[in-house]
Amino acid sequence: MKITMVGTGYVGLVTGTCFAEIGHEVLCVDNDERKIRTLQSRRMPIYEEGLEELVLRNMDRGRLRFTTSIAEGTDFAEVIFIAVGTPPGYHGEPNLSYVEQVGRQVAHHMTGYRLLVEKSTVPVNTGIQLKRTVTKYLREKVDFDVASNPEFLREGSAVHDAFHPDRIVVGVESERAARLLREIYEPIIARSNSW
Ligand SMILES: NC(=O)c1ccc[n+]([C@@H]2O[C@H](COP(=O)([O-])OP(=O)(O)OC[C@H]3O[C@@H](n4cnc5c(N)ncnc54)[C@H](O)[C@@H]3O)[C@@H](O)[C@H]2O)c1
C-alpha cells in the first residue's frame, strides 16, 4: 500500500522505513530541507542500529523516497501519517502547532479521500481538533477520516521496536479507516506471531 509519512524524525524515519521493509511504498515528507537532502544523498540524520542498511535497501528497491513537498505527499497516498514533533512547553504541555500546521497543509492539497493518522504523542481530543482544522482548510468537499495510532518505540532500540511492537494501538471512526490500518500492520502482526 502507498503511505505518506509527514515528519521524518526519529519516529517518522524509523516507522516509514519499517513500513517500506514490510512491502509498502513509502514517501517521507519533512520541511527540514537539510534533513531531506541528507537522506536523498543516502546519509542518515540519526543513528539507530540497523537503520542505515534498511533505508538504503528500500531506497534501492524504490519503496522509500524523501521529499520536502507536502503537496506531493498529500497526492501520493490515501493514508497520511503525522509524525511531527510535539515538544513540551514551559508547563510540560505539548506544543501541537506542528500537528495543526500539517493538518492545514494537507487540507489545502486534498482532492480525494484521505486517512490522516496521528502518530505523534498528543493529548486526548487532539483528533477532534485536527478534524476541525482539516474541515476548515479544505478547498473542495472531500471525505476524510482522522485516526489515532500512537508510537511507543524507544530511541536506541527503535528499529527492533518498530518490527516487534508489544502493542499496536489504533483509534478509528470508520470501517474504511480500520481496514486501511489493518492492511498496513498485518505483515508486522504476522511476523510477530511467527516468532
Ligand atoms: N523519539 C522517540 O523516541 C518517540 C517515541 C514515541 C513517540 N514519540 C513522539 O513522536 C513524535 C515525533 O517525535 P520524533 O522524536 O520523531 O521528533 P523529531 O523532532 O525527531 O522529528 C520531527 C520531524 O518533524 C518535522 N516537521 C515539523 N513540522 C513539520 C511540517 N509542518 N511538515 C513536515 N515536517 C515537519 C521536523 O523537521 C522533524 O524532522 C512526537 O510527538 C514524540 O513525542 C517520539
Side-chain angles (χ1 to χ4, degrees), residues 6-12 29-32 35 70 83-86 98 101-102 105 119-122 151-155:
V6 184
T8 311
Y10 237 96
V11 167
V29 182
D30 204 289
N31 60 3
D32 180 338
K35 186 177 284 188
I70 193 81
V84 296
T86 50
Y98 303 108
Q101 187 185 22
V102 174
Q105 293 172 329
K119 204 162 219 353
S120 300
T121 305
V122 293
E151 183 52 60
F152 301 105
L153 61 73
R154 298 159 299 173
E155 291 182 20

Side-chain angles (χ1 to χ4, degrees), residues 6-59:
V6 184
T8 311
Y10 237 96
V11 167
L13 180 59
V14 172
T15 314
T17 304
C18 168
F19 285 157
E21 177 67 15
I22 61 173
H24 301 302
E25 205 182 321
V26 181
L27 179 61
C28 289
V29 182
D30 204 289
N31 60 3
D32 180 338
E33 289 184 14
R34 214 165 75 170
K35 186 177 284 188
I36 291 300
R37 267 202 312 272
T38 299
L39 285 158
Q40 286 171 336
S41 55
R42 305 172 69 82
R43 286 174 289 126
M44 298 302 112
I46 56 168
Y47 178 77
E48 274 294 328
E49 196 180 345
L51 183 64
E52 182 172 12
E53 185 192 338
L54 286 175
V55 169
L56 298 183
R57 180 157 76 218
N58 285 287
M59 285 176 82

